[in-house]
Amino acid sequence: MFTHSAIASLNTLEMLVYNFVIKNRDKVMYMTIRELADAASVSTTTVLRFCRKLNCEGYSEFRVRFKLYLEQNEPPQANFGASEVISFFKSVNNDEFDKLLDNTVEIILSSERVIFVGAGTSGALAKYGARFFSNIGKFSNHIDDPYFPVTNDMAKNALAIVLSVSGETEEILRFASQFSLHHCKVLSITSHEHSRLAKLADFNISWHVPQMRISGGYDITTQIPVIYILESLGRKLAKKIA
């Protein structure tokens, strides 16, 4: 039901509906369309568009299909946040996403080196990605300082893999723009393909997991999808190199 292509087609407002549905799956099937719209802070028209993009004629059909989806596919959730992660894995368990990874591997192979870029938690994952790819045999390094100078030499024949949960961090956007100005290919890995980073990049892989922030604005969104994507790319790359 929640395929990668269906979720990727959702706009920003429709993603608010999706995020609420994923976090409140036990309640949604008993809510009216008005109640869902109010809870997600959108209009009923947005909810209807959301339903249609999931191949449902209307909200009534969505509720029926969603109830069946939960009964047939969803195990009991014991751990906080497990539902979001399970939904991600279900959305990428298809030939379409596998083909997206295959195409990305071809881009990596055509690049002389890979530069992983990120800040904060994404910076730590950039370091992990560079080490993982280096273990495979693909020359890679990482940059976790968004003010690091980008030069023609470092960008030449390189691929910058830019990691960002929101895809809206100004420092990362400026950094990605610098790579583009130096004619370096940019691949973004973000939570949604409608972000500014995804639109700026030459290629994008999105993972569609709701963002979570605690008091103070600190981001505690799960990074499991990012690790899965990096390791999947790495393993596919290893088969090509071998």
Side-chain angles (χ1 to χ4, degrees), residues 165-194:
V165 176
S166 68
E168 299 291 344
T169 306
E170 294 297 338
E171 292 81 4
I172 292 298
L173 287 168
R174 183 171 58 247
F175 202 33
S177 296
Q178 288 297 310
F179 277 107
S180 295
L181 288 173
H182 285 81
H183 307 292
C184 176
K185 296 189 295 290
V186 176
L187 164 68
S188 61
I189 300 180
T190 67
S191 64
H192 204 278
E193 61 186 25
H194 294 297

Side-chain angles (χ1 to χ4, degrees), residues 3-236:
T3 64
H4 184 264
S5 58
I7 300 170
S9 71
L10 303 177
N11 63 29
T12 303
L13 291 176
E14 292 155 3
M15 278 299 294
L16 293 176
V17 182
Y18 170 73
N19 291 342
F20 182 86
V21 168
I22 291 300
K23 290 181 178 180
N24 301 274
R25 53 189 65 206
D26 292 335
K27 302 177 184 177
V28 169
M29 68 184 76
Y30 304 109
M31 298 175 73
T32 65
I33 187 171
R34 169 54 62 187
E35 289 171 337
L36 176 56
D38 290 344
S41 300
V42 299
S43 67
T44 54
T45 302
T46 297
V47 175
L48 286 174
R49 286 200 306 265
F50 165 80
C51 295
R52 293 189 183 109
K53 287 185 178 180
L54 295 180
N55 296 317
C56 298
E57 289 296 326
Y59 185 65
S60 296
E61 182 180 344
F62 166 76
R63 286 201 304 180
V64 171
R65 290 185 58 192
F66 185 60
K67 185 174 185 295
L68 290 173
Y69 171 82
L70 293 180
E71 291 174 350
Q72 296 172 3
N73 297 288
E74 296 294 291
Q77 304 301 324
N79 299 319
F80 177 78
S83 59
E84 289 91 338
V85 177
I86 291 172
S87 292
F88 163 74
F89 283 116
K90 286 183 178 297
S91 74
V92 299
N93 186 28
N94 53 65
D95 293 338
E96 179 188 6
F97 193 78
D98 198 54
K99 180 64 174 177
L100 175 62
L101 295 181
D102 287 336
N103 292 340
T104 304
V105 168
E106 294 301 322
I107 297 166
I108 295 170
L109 282 170
S110 67
S111 305
E112 290 184 7
R113 61 187 176 281
V114 178
I115 305 169
F116 286 87
V117 179
T121 304
S122 293
L125 290 175
K127 182 177 181 180
Y128 175 76
R131 179 54 187 264
F132 196 83
F133 276 40
S134 295
N135 287 346
I136 291 164
K138 184 67 177 180
F139 178 63
S140 307
N141 57 1
H142 81 282
I143 300 173
D144 56 10
D145 176 5
Y147 297 100
F148 193 92
V150 178
T151 65
N152 282 325
D153 287 342
M154 70 182 289
K156 185 178 180 180
N157 299 324
L159 170 67
I161 299 182
V162 185
L163 311 180
S164 174
V165 176
S166 68
E168 299 291 344
T169 306
E170 294 297 338
E171 292 81 4
I172 292 298
L173 287 168
R174 183 171 58 247
F175 202 33
S177 296
Q178 288 297 310
F179 277 107
S180 295
L181 288 173
H182 285 81
H183 307 292
C184 176
K185 296 189 295 290
V186 176
L187 164 68
S188 61
I189 300 180
T190 67
S191 64
H192 204 278
E193 61 186 25
H194 294 297
S195 66
R196 285 189 289 167
L197 177 60
K199 293 176 180 178
L200 181 153
D202 300 292
F203 320 96
N204 179 70
I205 299 177
S206 49
W207 36 282
H208 309 117
V209 169
Q211 282 187 258
M212 293 186 63
R213 291 184 179 274
I214 57 175
S215 56
Y218 294 105
D219 194 329
I220 57 170
T221 306
T222 178
Q223 297 291 310
I224 291 174
V226 182
I227 295 174
Y228 171 79
I229 290 169
L230 293 177
E231 292 189 355
S232 296
L233 289 173
R235 291 192 176 98
K236 285 178 175 289

